[in-house]
């Protein structure tokens, strides 16, 4: 396939048509599954969005291409998907079926045996000793003779409709008639069953409630799939010539593994679709590489597909709250749930933006918009599988920021329960809804723990679908919990304070490092040069203080603390030195361009600050003294910084450029390349390396 012929950014496998090799990415387990001679693993297991259908179709293609003589079912479609509407059972049927532990496995076993035997009889010259008169069940005999019913999922709905008498006759026929015939078939047949989960989605809408014509039962969504897996697993051992491959949802598979005594045997028969960050990047790259030149920002760039598609100016995204650069790939990935479908959705959105319009801000808007859609869709996906209903809109209105201390998580949870119950509820009681546990198990709430390899604190999120949503309600131990970025826009629409409550030190995202706020902060002390001149002008002096305060309010919205002292001294304190740097650059620019034509000189340090002893208010510590000591020695319109401040900035912004002071800086004494920052000879010597940067940068 040429680049122009390759179908790009396929979100729905139904849009693919025939499976092209160019759209596949093969991990080692996937490559093993797709080998034509590999038939020991026949269950593809994953949540929505991992590509089960695509791989099932690819398996069929490989068999059709490389295994001559194998008959494929269905014949004219790539996979066998149920058609029509799932049966809505009577209340009596729900009770009967629920009490019969192997009902679903039996129905699938009968459907598989009947469909495969009919297909073998039609495709082979081999004598198949089975006729309509062989059955004790009249209904099963009619199904066997009905030429319009050909595939496994053609027969399965009809078997579900059998009344209890006919069902038990069919069960006997399976054991005594069709099962033995199936066991002795020598016709090589492979069948591919898909979309059983979607066929039973209606049963997820309501649980046991009366409906027009019958009842719905949520448990049937799970059991229909676990029954299929059990039937295939059982029949697999009875005929080596017949192979049935099927996709099932991870949520159902987890139920199977928790209930089935032979769980380890199913592990050996299944392919759990998992993708690491490197796999996901390769999937994204395959599509980028296939983009036509006319849809790329820099079509002549052949070495880097990212730069070719996005352009050199868009290779980094700057976080608006933290001020930290991240690669375009990291930005895209953390706005997904780590599923291939999410990447395809974002890629499709970006591809629709013409290369000439693909600016950094447009890329940000597109990624964020698609990420919000991913988040909303995922909430709808998980909602039916939660052990207790969660009113997400009510919950999200109570969340004020994306990084939640443990105590705030507990407070929001209590408030949510108070609202839905109309009273306080004991968190230990059965009626208490553990809302954040549900988000955590769904991969939407992260926590901070030390990385096992580096021992550094790291943000951790469960992969979508990795944990059963029904399970332990206790959150992992952590001082803080992190809202997944796919929920940012969703929560921001419901909670007015959320958009202004983003953490200013940490970018939220799986596997991102965690910076502990602890006691270390940056301090800037700035002097307003020309203050005496301004105060000498009555007209300017009258409004100057108010204007300076407004400039600070505008430019320091993300700064923890800022104030004006004695009219001409500005003090800014924040745990994020990049935000401090950017804020003082904005303040200097505003003052320089104003009617006052004022300029700044600034001193900066980074280190430990603590609350004043005795609760007197404010912060104390060496960085305040050091920044104040540096300020008068800085040149006008520059900032003099300690090496500690520069290092802290570069931990967030590695590209920060400044100049190390090699000569003199004001009247500061210099010893061996270091500057002595003590105020008087009676103070202990304080030697520091210094840097400067222009405030016009």
């Amino acid at each position: 396939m040429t680049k122009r012929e390759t179908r790009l950014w396929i979100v729905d496998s139904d849009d693919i048509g025939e499976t092209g090799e160019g759209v596949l990415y093969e991990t080692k387990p996937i490559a093993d599954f797709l080998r034509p001679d590999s038939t020991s693993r026949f269950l593809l297991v994953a949540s929505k969005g991992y590509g089960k259908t695509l791989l099932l179709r690819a398996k069929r293609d490989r068999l059709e291409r490389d295994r001559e003589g194998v008959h494929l079912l269905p014949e004219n479609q790539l996979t066998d998907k149920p058609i029509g509407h799932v049966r809505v059972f009577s209340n009596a049927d729900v009770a009967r079926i629920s009490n019969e532990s192997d009902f679903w496995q039996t129905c699938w076993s009968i459907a598989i045996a009947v469909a495969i035997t009919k297909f073998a009889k039609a495709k082979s010259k081999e004598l198949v000793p089975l006729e309509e008169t062989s059955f004790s069940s009249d209904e099963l005999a009619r199904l066997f003779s009905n030429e319009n019913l050909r595939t496994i999922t053609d027969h399965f709905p009809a078997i579900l409709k059998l009344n209890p008498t006919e069902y038990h006759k069919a069960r006997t026929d399976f054991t005594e008639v069709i099962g033995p015939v199936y066991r002795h078939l020598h016709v090589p047949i492979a069948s591919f069953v898909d979309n059983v989960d979607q066929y039973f989605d209606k049963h997820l809408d309501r649980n046991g409630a009366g409906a027009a014509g019958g009842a719905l039962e949520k448990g049937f969504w799970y059991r229909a799939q676990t029954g299929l897996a059990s039937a295939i697993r059982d029949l697999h051992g009875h005929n080596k010539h017949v192979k049935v491959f099927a996709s099932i949802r991870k949520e159902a598979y987890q139920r199977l593994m928790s209930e089935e005594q032979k769980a380890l045997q199913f592990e050996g028969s299944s392919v759990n679709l998992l993708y690491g960050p490197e796999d996901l990047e390769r999937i994204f790259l395959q599509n980028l590489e296939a983009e036509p030149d006319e849809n790329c920002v820099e079509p002549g760039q052949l070495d880097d597909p990212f730069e070719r598609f996005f352009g050199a100016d868009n290779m980094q995204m700057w976080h608006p709250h933290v001020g930290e650069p991240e690669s375009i790939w990291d930005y895209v990935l953390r706005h997904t749930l780590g599923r291939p479908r999410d990447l395809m959705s974002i890629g499709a959105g970006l591809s629709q933006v013409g290369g000439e319009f693909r600016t950094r801000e447009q890329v940000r808007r597109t990624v964020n918009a698609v990420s919000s859609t991913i988040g909303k869709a995922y909430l709808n996906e998980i909602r039916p599988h939660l052990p207790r209903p969660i009113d997400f809109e009510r919950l999200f209105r109570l969340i004020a920021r994306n990084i939640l201390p443990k105590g705030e998580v507990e407070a929001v949870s209590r408030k949510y329960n108070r609202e839905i119950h109309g009273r306080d509820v004991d968190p230990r009681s059965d009626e208490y809804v553990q809302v954040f546990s549900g988000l955590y198990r769904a991969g939407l709430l992260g926590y901070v723990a030390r990385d096992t390899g580096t021992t550094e604190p790291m943000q951790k999120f469960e992969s979508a679908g990795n944990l059963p949503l029904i399970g332990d309600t206790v959150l992992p131990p952590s001082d803080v919990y992190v809202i997944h970025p796919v929920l940012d826009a969703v929560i921001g629409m419901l909670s007015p304070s959320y958009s202004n409550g983003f953490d200013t030190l940490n970018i939220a995202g799986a596997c991102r490092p965690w910076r502990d706020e602890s006691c270390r902060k940056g301090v800037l002390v700035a002097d307003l040069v020309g203050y005496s001149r301004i105060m000498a002008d009555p007209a300017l002096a009258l409004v100057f203080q108010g204007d300076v305060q407004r400039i600070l309010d505008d430019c320091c919205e993300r700064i923890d603390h800022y104030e004006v002292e004695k009219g001409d001294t500005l003090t800014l304190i924040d745990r994020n030195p990049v935000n401090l740097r950017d804020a003082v650059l904005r303040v200097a620019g505003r003052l320089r361009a104003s009617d006052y034509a004022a300029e700044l000189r600034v001193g900066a340090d980074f280190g430990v600050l603590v609350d004043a002893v005795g609760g007197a208010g404010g912060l104390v510590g060496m960085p305040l003294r050091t920044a104040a000591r540096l300020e008068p020695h800085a040149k006008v319109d520059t900032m003099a910084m300690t090496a500690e401040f520069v290092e802290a900035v570069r931990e967030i912004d590695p590209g920060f450029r400044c100049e190390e002071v090699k000569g003199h800086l004001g009247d500061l004494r210099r010893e061996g390349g270091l500057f002595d920052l003590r105020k008087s000879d009676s103070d202990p010597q304080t030697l520091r390396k210094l840097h400067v940067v222009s405030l016009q940068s």
Side-chain angles (χ1 to χ4, degrees):
M1 258 187 184
T2 67
K3 285 183 180 180
R4 294 178 186 276
E5 293 171 337
T6 301
R7 295 291 303 278
L8 300 176
W9 311 114
I10 301 298
V11 177
D12 191 330
S13 58
D14 286 339
D15 296 334
I16 296 175
E18 294 186 3
T19 305
E21 295 295 321
V23 301
L24 285 176
Y25 173 77
E26 299 180 21
T27 62
K28 179 62 165 58
I30 289 174
D32 289 344
F33 170 75
L34 291 179
R35 286 202 332 266
D37 60 344
S38 174
T39 56
S40 61
R41 295 182 183 268
F42 40 80
L43 295 176
L44 282 173
V45 179
S47 296
K48 268 190 172 183
Y50 281 86
K52 300 184 297 296
T53 295
L54 176 62
L55 294 174
L56 202 60
R57 291 179 172 188
K59 179 67 174 180
R60 177 196 171 104
D61 281 351
R62 301 280 175 96
L63 284 173
E64 188 169 23
R65 185 185 66 194
D66 299 330
R67 291 284 298 272
E68 293 184 8
V70 177
H71 299 284
L72 304 178
L73 185 68
E75 292 184 273
N76 301 318
Q77 295 178 321
L78 291 172
T79 57
D80 181 11
K81 300 187 292 186
I83 192 171
H85 300 287
V86 67
R87 178 184 175 188
V88 179
F89 299 86
S90 68
N91 288 307
D93 283 336
V94 169
R96 173 178 62 84
I97 293 169
S98 299
N99 288 328
E100 188 170 341
S101 60
D102 63 348
F103 173 82
W104 295 97
Q105 178 179 346
T106 300
C107 289
W108 279 114
S109 295
I110 296 171
I112 292 170
V114 170
I116 295 296
T117 304
K118 284 173 67 174
F119 190 56
K121 190 173 183 179
K123 291 296 177 182
S124 173
K125 297 179 180 179
E126 176 184 340
L127 179 63
V128 177
L130 194 65
E131 302 294 340
E132 184 178 349
T133 56
S134 305
F135 299 95
S136 62
S137 166
D138 294 337
E139 291 298 325
L140 193 59
R142 277 194 284 272
L143 295 181
F144 187 78
S145 62
N146 188 339
E147 295 182 358
N148 292 321
L149 303 180
R150 300 181 182 181
T151 71
I152 294 170
T153 66
D154 285 345
H155 291 84
F156 178 71
I159 292 167
L160 280 184
K161 293 180 181 178
L162 296 177
N163 63 46
T165 300
E166 287 295 323
Y167 166 75
H168 286 291
K169 287 182 179 180
R171 182 174 179 140
T172 300
D173 285 337
F174 172 73
T175 303
E176 299 179 358
V177 181
I178 198 165
V181 173
Y182 174 90
R183 182 184 293 124
H184 292 97
L185 292 175
H186 288 83
V187 185
I189 295 172
S191 185
F192 308 86
V193 180
D194 194 21
N195 282 33
V196 174
D197 58 326
Q198 295 182 32
Y199 185 63
F200 278 87
D201 272 349
K202 186 174 183 180
H203 279 273
L204 289 175
D205 293 341
R206 301 166 70 181
N207 189 7
L216 300 171
E217 166 58 42
K218 186 164 79 171
F220 287 178
W221 184 90
Y222 298 93
R223 295 184 192 118
Q225 295 178 75
T226 60
L228 171 61
S230 296
I232 295 173
R233 177 74 184 82
D234 183 60
L235 291 173
H236 181 79
H238 291 291
N239 192 324
K240 65 180 181 180
H241 301 289
V242 177
K243 307 299 178 185
V244 180
F245 301 93
S247 66
I248 68 170
R249 286 274 290 276
K250 185 71 171 283
E251 297 88 341
Y253 184 76
Q254 289 165 338
R255 182 78 62 94
L256 175 69
M257 297 301 289
S258 67
E259 296 175 352
E260 176 58 54
Q261 293 180 348
K262 300 177 181 178
L264 288 178
Q265 294 181 9
F266 280 95
E267 284 281 7
S269 304
S270 308
V271 180
N272 274 279
L273 299 184
L274 300 171
Y275 299 94
E278 296 81 8
D279 299 320
L280 295 168
E281 184 176 13
R282 188 60 243 170
I283 292 170
F284 199 73
L285 275 169
Q286 283 185 170
N287 285 267
L288 286 185
E289 290 167 347
E291 279 281 358
D293 286 345
E294 58 267 26
N295 198 36
C296 293
V297 177
E298 297 184 15
Q301 169 56 257
L302 303 179
D303 296 331
D304 187 339
F306 280 102
E307 189 170 331
R308 175 175 173 267
F309 181 75
F310 288 101
D313 292 340
N314 300 329
M315 291 298 287
Q316 285 190 328
M317 304 294 289
W318 290 84
H319 194 279
H321 301 282
V322 179
E324 179 177 358
E326 56 182 327
S327 73
I328 184 63
W329 165 244
D330 288 341
Y331 186 78
V332 167
L333 181 61
R334 74 179 180 85
H335 282 84
T336 75
L337 292 164
R339 305 177 299 183
R341 179 179 294 177
D342 302 341
L343 291 174
M344 295 302 100
S345 296
I346 288 179
L350 292 169
S351 186
Q352 290 298 310
V353 179
E356 66 272 29
F357 303 111
R358 204 173 293 134
T359 63
R360 182 179 295 169
E361 277 312 303
Q362 185 58 53
V363 168
R364 186 190 305 278
R365 284 193 293 269
T366 301
V367 171
N368 291 354
V370 178
S371 180
S372 174
T373 301
I374 291 169
K376 292 175 185 175
Y378 187 57
L379 289 173
N380 289 330
E381 288 174 25
I382 67 172
R383 198 186 303 267
H385 303 286
L386 295 168
R388 301 280 296 278
I390 294 178
D391 184 342
F392 288 118
E393 290 191 5
R394 183 187 295 272
L395 171 63
F396 293 162
R397 288 192 185 99
L398 303 177
I399 297 177
R401 46 185 168 169
N402 70 326
I403 307 294
L404 299 170
K406 179 181 178 181
E408 193 167 335
V409 165
E410 294 169 348
V412 169
S413 185
R414 287 194 299 271
K415 187 171 183 179
Y416 173 88
N417 277 273
R418 188 183 309 123
E419 288 188 7
I420 64 170
H421 293 292
R423 54 184 170 78
D424 288 329
V425 179
D426 188 338
R428 296 166 297 182
S429 70
D430 291 339
E431 62 179 332
Y432 192 86
V433 183
Q434 302 287 354
V435 286
F436 286 103
S437 173
L439 291 179
Y440 157 68
R441 299 184 75 82
L444 295 173
L445 184 75
Y447 62 101
V448 175
R450 293 201 175 274
D451 182 71
T452 54
T454 65
T455 73
E456 295 296 322
M458 189 79 66
Q459 298 177 54
K460 299 185 180 243
F461 287 80
E462 290 294 335
S463 300
N466 185 52
L467 287 180
L469 294 177
I470 298 176
D472 190 358
T473 59
V474 178
L475 290 174
S478 181
D479 292 332
V480 295
Y481 295 91
V482 186
I483 299 294
H484 197 289
V486 299
L487 294 182
D488 285 343
V490 181
I491 299 177
M493 292 291 291
L494 297 167
S495 173
S497 57
Y498 187 82
S499 297
N500 294 321
F502 278 96
D503 192 75
T504 58
L505 191 59
N506 291 284
I507 298 177
C511 300
R512 287 199 61 86
W514 179 258
R515 301 186 182 99
D516 189 351
E517 27 186 309
S518 62
C519 300
R520 290 171 56 79
K521 296 179 185 291
V523 178
L524 303 187
V525 176
D527 178 59
L528 275 162
V529 181
Y531 178 71
S532 297
R533 170 183 55 80
I534 295 168
M535 289 297 101
D537 185 327
L540 294 179
L542 187 64
V543 295
F544 180 68
Q545 295 294 340
D547 286 347
V548 169
Q549 190 61 54
R550 279 187 287 274
I551 289 173
L552 284 176
D553 291 342
D554 289 344
C555 298
C556 300
E557 60 180 352
R558 296 200 302 270
I559 302 303
D560 288 343
H561 172 84
Y562 58 92
E563 64 180 357
V564 183
E565 300 177 275
K566 300 177 183 178
D568 64 343
T569 301
L570 313 181
T571 302
L572 284 67
I573 302 174
D574 195 86
R575 55 192 182 145
N576 185 329
V578 171
N579 283 345
L580 283 174
R581 177 201 65 186
D582 294 347
V584 80
L585 287 172
R586 289 193 294 269
V587 171
R590 290 277 294 274
L591 287 171
R592 192 184 308 113
S594 70
D595 292 339
Y596 307 107
E599 294 179 300
L600 297 178
R601 60 171 176 248
V602 185
D605 191 21
F606 190 87
V608 175
L609 293 177
V610 296
D611 292 325
V613 177
L619 295 169
V620 295
M622 280 302 297
L624 278 164
R625 296 181 62 186
T626 301
R629 176 76 173 129
L630 281 176
E631 172 267 305
H633 300 280
K635 293 181 180 180
V636 175
D637 218 18
T638 69
M639 178 164 60
M641 307 165 288
T642 63
E644 288 78 6
F645 184 85
V646 172
E647 182 181 348
V649 170
R650 286 176 174 165
E651 284 183 5
I652 298 174
D653 178 8
F656 175 53
R657 294 182 179 180
C658 59
E659 181 182 349
E660 184 180 347
V661 181
K662 299 292 187 180
H664 294 284
L665 185 68
D667 297 331
L668 290 175
R669 286 181 289 186
R670 183 178 173 89
E671 294 187 20
L674 302 177
F675 290 87
D676 189 352
L677 301 185
R678 59 183 167 175
K679 195 167 186 178
S680 67
D681 291 341
S682 61
D683 293 333
Q685 191 177 47
T686 306
L687 297 176
R688 309 284 281 276
K689 185 183 290 186
L690 298 180
H691 297 74
V692 292
V693 67
S694 170
L695 294 181
Q696 297 190 34
S697 300

